[in-house]
Amino acid sequence: MNLSKLAKACVCTTLATLALSTQAQSENNQLDNVVAQGQKINQSASKSQLRVDALNDKTQSKLQQFKTVNKEIDGLQVYNQQMQTQLDNQLAELAQIKESMTQVSIIERQVSPLMSRMITTLESFVELDVPFLPQERAQRLAGLKKMMERADIAVAEKFRRVLEAYQVEVDYGRTIETYSGLLEVAGSERDVDFLRIGRVSFVYQTRDGNHLGLWDQQSKSWQELPAKYRTDINKALRIARKQLAPDLIMVPLDLAE
């Protein structure tokens, strides 16, 4: 091979090498671009996924809030129904109370005159009754009359006190009691012991035991008793004072009773 052919061959080889090198470089550049684009796509996809995850979390949070609010709404609806039922019942009760207050006003207008008549009747009864505990019973009647004039005491309380006074008078008829007091005996005022046995016997005995007497309801006066009653009256006085157990006693009775 001559030099001219060898030179041409070298030039051709060099050109081919340069062409291959250029093509390889171009392919490498394209590959780098593809890789870079792929990385950009991956980064974008990663960011997109993050946004999707964030939106999903937000959506789940909103959904949970929605469910919670729905439960609260359901509970409030049940509560409102209960409150409405209670409100309806309260309105019905208010209507009944209003009606009752109207009736009470009518009853009060009727009860007040009734109580006044009851007090007058009780006063007349005490005046006609056996005269035991005169001061205590008179004070009770005076208290009832004064009470009727007071506006700060309810009608129900007034009526209760009037009935209580009646009950006290009823109890006098089935109890035994003794108390001390002053009484004019044999022309002089003496300290005596009174003995009341229900309303069937009301007697006195002076402290020295020398004078005994029985109240005569028909004549409205005291009648002297013989000394034979002294033992039984002393025994009855001790029973009334709870110094002896209840026992059979013989005492004089007011035949008018």
Side-chain angles (χ1 to χ4, degrees), residues 7-53:
K8 290 181 180 179
C10 290
V11 171
C12 290
T13 302
T14 301
L15 290 175
T17 302
L18 290 174
L20 290 173
S21 176
T22 300
Q23 183 179 359
Q25 183 66 35
S26 176
E27 290 178 354
N28 287 334
N29 291 336
Q30 291 178 357
L31 182 59
D32 290 339
N33 290 333
V34 170
V35 172
Q37 292 298 324
Q39 291 176 347
K40 289 181 180 180
I41 292 173
N42 289 335
Q43 291 176 357
S44 177
S46 178
K47 292 179 180 180
S48 297
Q49 185 62 44
L50 292 175
R51 287 195 296 270
V52 169
D53 292 340

Side-chain angles (χ1 to χ4, degrees), residues 37-199:
Q37 292 298 324
Q39 291 176 347
K40 289 181 180 180
I41 292 173
N42 289 335
Q43 291 176 357
S44 177
S46 178
K47 292 179 180 180
S48 297
Q49 185 62 44
L50 292 175
R51 287 195 296 270
V52 169
D53 292 340
L55 289 173
N56 184 61
D57 292 341
K58 189 175 182 181
T59 301
Q60 292 296 326
S61 177
K62 293 295 182 182
L63 179 61
Q64 187 63 36
Q65 292 178 4
F66 177 75
K67 292 180 179 179
T68 302
V69 170
N70 277 341
K71 289 182 180 179
E72 293 178 356
I73 291 174
D74 292 339
L76 288 174
Q77 288 177 345
V78 173
Y79 177 77
N80 287 337
Q81 291 176 354
Q82 293 175 348
M83 290 299 100
Q84 186 62 46
T85 301
Q86 292 183 11
L87 180 60
D88 294 340
N89 292 335
Q90 290 175 352
L91 290 175
E93 290 178 3
L94 286 175
Q96 293 178 356
I97 291 173
K98 184 177 180 180
E99 179 66 21
S100 299
M101 290 177 65
T102 303
Q103 296 297 326
V104 167
S105 299
I106 297 174
I107 293 173
E108 285 183 355
R109 291 195 294 268
Q110 297 174 347
V111 167
S112 293
L114 173 63
M115 288 189 293
S116 297
R117 291 194 298 270
M118 291 175 67
I119 293 173
T120 301
T121 301
L122 186 61
E123 185 177 22
S124 299
F125 175 80
V126 171
E127 290 176 356
L128 297 173
D129 195 20
V130 178
F132 58 88
L133 299 174
Q135 293 182 349
E136 178 181 321
R137 298 166 84 186
Q139 289 177 355
R140 185 179 300 112
L141 286 167
L144 291 176
K145 292 180 179 179
K146 187 176 181 179
M147 174 195 69
M148 293 299 297
E149 299 174 354
R150 294 178 58 178
D152 59 332
I153 300 179
V155 174
E157 176 63 16
K158 292 179 180 179
F159 192 69
R160 186 193 67 80
R161 293 187 187 181
V162 172
L163 291 180
E164 185 180 65
Y166 267 78
Q167 185 61 51
V168 170
E169 290 294 333
V170 170
D171 291 341
Y172 285 146
R174 55 188 181 214
T175 56
I176 177 174
E177 71 172 333
T178 180
Y179 62 93
S180 299
L182 296 176
L183 181 68
E184 186 174 340
V185 178
S188 62
E189 193 173 68
R190 304 284 296 273
D191 191 6
V192 302
D193 291 323
F194 293 101
L195 173 66
R196 178 186 60 78
I197 303 176
R199 282 187 167 87

Side-chain angles (χ1 to χ4, degrees), residues 166-233:
Y166 267 78
Q167 185 61 51
V168 170
E169 290 294 333
V170 170
D171 291 341
Y172 285 146
R174 55 188 181 214
T175 56
I176 177 174
E177 71 172 333
T178 180
Y179 62 93
S180 299
L182 296 176
L183 181 68
E184 186 174 340
V185 178
S188 62
E189 193 173 68
R190 304 284 296 273
D191 191 6
V192 302
D193 291 323
F194 293 101
L195 173 66
R196 178 186 60 78
I197 303 176
R199 282 187 167 87
V200 298
S201 182
F202 184 43
V203 300
Y204 77 85
Q205 177 178 270
T206 57
R207 291 297 178 88
D208 57 13
N210 292 330
H211 295 277
L212 307 172
L214 170 68
W215 177 259
D216 181 10
Q217 184 67 5
Q218 186 171 3
S219 64
K220 302 291 184 182
S221 63
W222 291 100
Q223 304 295 325
E224 286 287 335
L225 289 175
K228 65 179 182 178
Y229 288 106
R230 183 177 295 112
T231 300
D232 286 316
I233 289 177

